[in-house]
Amino acid sequence: MSRAERLLELMQTLRRYRYPVSGKQLASELDVSIRTLYRDIASLQAEGAHIEREPGVL
């Protein structure tokens, strides 16, 4: 899966959740490491996506 596809899938996954979700749960669902998940979220935030997060919870 390309990085662009992964970022799109992450955005779509986040839109489905209406409540806070753990990074561990998201990483497992997307089949990526927690480190990759946090890097991808940082990339999306840098591009202007409004993603609120706290340590361990998104």
Side-chain angles (χ1 to χ4, degrees), residues 1-10 12-13 29-32 36 40:
M1 173 183 302
S2 73
R3 184 169 188 263
E5 290 172 328
R6 194 174 70 236
L7 292 176
L8 179 59
E9 184 177 356
L10 173 57
Q12 291 173 338
T13 301
E29 185 174 331
L30 297 170
D31 197 29
V32 297
T36 298
D40 288 350

Side-chain angles (χ1 to χ4, degrees), residues 28-46:
S28 176
E29 185 174 331
L30 297 170
D31 197 29
V32 297
S33 70
I34 194 77
R35 182 177 176 192
T36 298
L37 176 70
Y38 286 145
R39 272 194 317 230
D40 288 350
I41 289 171
S43 294
L44 290 171
Q45 288 175 319

